[in-house]
Amino acid sequence: MENIHMIREKIADAGTQANLYELRATLENYLFKGDAADRGLGLSEIWEKSFNLFAPLQMTISALNYAGDDQLNDEFIELFNKGPAILDISGWTLEAGSPDQRLVFPAGSLIQPLSMIRIYTAQRGSYYFGSERPIWNNRGDEALLYDHNMELVSSWCYGNKAHQHVDISYINVDGEQERSEGDEYIELTNFSKHRVDLSGWQINSSSGNSFIFDVGTYIEPNGKLRIYTNKQDLNANELSFNCKRAIWNNTGGGGNLLDHLQMIVSEYHYGFEPQR
């Protein structure tokens, strides 16, 4: 029979939706058939313990729109419940870049499994800050989501607020594929606790190739992202230039990473880099 310590270890290791549902089965077994049942816990206490275990793992900031044609009315942030439990976020706090810009979720704020809620800046929809001016800085900002105990659950940053968190950590210049070297890659690492939004960011190589990240691209906290020269079957943390010739010169070169406003975030150089 699994105990609560083993369950906490599984929570620490869980990272995918499949793992979440496996974890739920383990938790139900513990609560209803194991130690919890032996101690005679009531349903309300069982629910509370289940919620406290699942909430930090399930809830995440999934998107943030800080610009638009009508910036005040177009601004919003989205929260997503990855499942498998209904989450009660009553009393949770969402902070928009500053302690002066906070929203405390009212009683009865529930998010169903695999569902999203949108929080607007202006007085719009079910959840909103009710501000009369934009609150998300177009140059860069961060969003912080806290539970009812003010423990950080999820965070998101973009633009100049993300510069210090992301680096070009490696360039694999010598692919194994002959001639095209499509399996060479450049790797980005997020060294922070935040999800980092890469929408509109750009990688430039010293050979003259560029890659622009699509809207909605991000790196998970403490995660990595590889951009291959020309790879077809991509994993979740992989993208591709879709270039049919080698990008990274084996003898020397480099690349840089720019944010959505073309500000330099990181540079990487190796070997002898020829002048262009």
Side-chain angles (χ1 to χ4, degrees):
M1 184 67 65
E2 299 193 66
N3 59 39
I4 194 66
H5 301 292
M6 296 174 66
I7 292 173
R8 287 191 178 118
E9 288 179 2
K10 284 194 174 185
I11 287 176
D13 293 337
T16 66
Q17 183 177 319
N19 287 343
L20 278 171
Y21 282 87
E22 178 183 348
L23 180 58
R24 181 177 70 174
T26 302
L27 181 60
E28 288 174 347
N29 190 53
Y30 165 75
L31 291 173
F32 295 102
K33 300 177 184 178
D35 295 341
D38 293 340
R39 295 199 306 272
L41 294 179
L43 287 177
S44 61
E45 189 173 356
I46 287 175
W47 165 249
E48 181 180 357
K49 289 181 179 294
S50 301
F51 175 80
N52 290 337
L53 285 169
F54 272 105
L57 186 62
Q58 285 188 214
M59 183 59 63
T60 185
I61 299 172
S62 55
L64 198 162
N65 183 44
Y66 53 84
D69 295 333
D70 181 354
Q71 188 175 350
L72 175 60
N73 290 303
D74 288 346
E75 279 191 348
F76 63 81
I77 184 171
E78 291 179 348
L79 307 182
F80 182 69
N81 177 2
K82 296 186 289 185
I86 299 172
L87 291 185
D88 182 356
I89 60 170
S90 305
W92 287 31
T93 299
L94 180 61
E95 183 176 302
S98 166
D100 298 329
Q101 298 178 151
R102 283 182 169 179
L103 166 68
V104 178
F105 289 92
S109 298
L110 303 177
I111 307 182
Q112 298 293 321
L114 305 180
S115 297
M116 174 270 294
I117 64 169
R118 181 173 288 181
I119 302 95
Y120 289 92
T121 294
Q123 189 168 334
R124 178 182 174 189
S126 299
Y127 300 99
Y128 49 84
F129 285 90
S131 175
E132 297 180 353
R133 59 180 180 82
I135 60 176
W136 302 108
N137 193 320
N138 285 8
R139 294 188 298 274
D141 221 329
E142 64 180 17
L144 305 172
L145 178 66
Y146 299 95
D147 66 14
H148 60 285
N149 293 319
M150 291 304 291
E151 296 288 339
L152 185 65
V153 173
S154 181
S155 58
W156 179 284
C157 68
Y158 63 92
N160 58 20
K161 290 291 186 180
H163 286 193
Q164 62 182 316
H165 303 311
V166 179
D167 270 330
I168 299 173
S169 51
Y170 184 63
I171 298 179
N172 179 37
V173 302
D174 192 9
E176 296 181 1
Q177 296 178 3
E178 293 185 8
R179 300 181 64 180
S180 68
E181 296 194 55
D183 55 337
E184 62 182 12
Y185 61 82
I186 182 171
E187 182 178 82
L188 307 183
T189 299
N190 174 10
F191 294 98
S192 75
K193 64 184 178 183
H194 307 287
R195 262 187 175 180
V196 173
D197 185 1
L198 299 179
S199 301
W201 287 32
Q202 181 173 323
I203 290 174
N204 299 309
S205 73
S206 56
S207 62
N209 295 87
S210 295
F211 179 91
I212 299 176
F213 292 93
D214 291 338
V215 173
T217 305
Y218 55 81
I219 309 183
E220 292 286 6
N222 302 305
K224 295 181 183 293
L225 185 63
R226 287 182 178 179
I227 302 87
Y228 284 86
T229 293
N230 189 26
K231 185 178 180 183
Q232 301 304 311
D233 298 323
L234 298 170
N235 296 317
N237 63 335
E238 297 175 347
L239 297 169
S240 177
F241 278 86
N242 293 325
C243 182
K244 294 183 179 180
R245 60 180 178 83
I247 293 176
W248 309 105
N249 191 316
N250 287 12
T251 59
N256 61 34
L257 174 66
L258 309 180
D259 71 7
H260 65 298
L261 297 178
Q262 299 294 293
M263 302 298 292
I264 292 181
V265 178
S266 178
E267 294 182 295
Y268 189 103
H269 303 275
Y270 62 93
F272 173 74
E273 187 170 4
Q275 297 295 318
R276 294 185 62 213

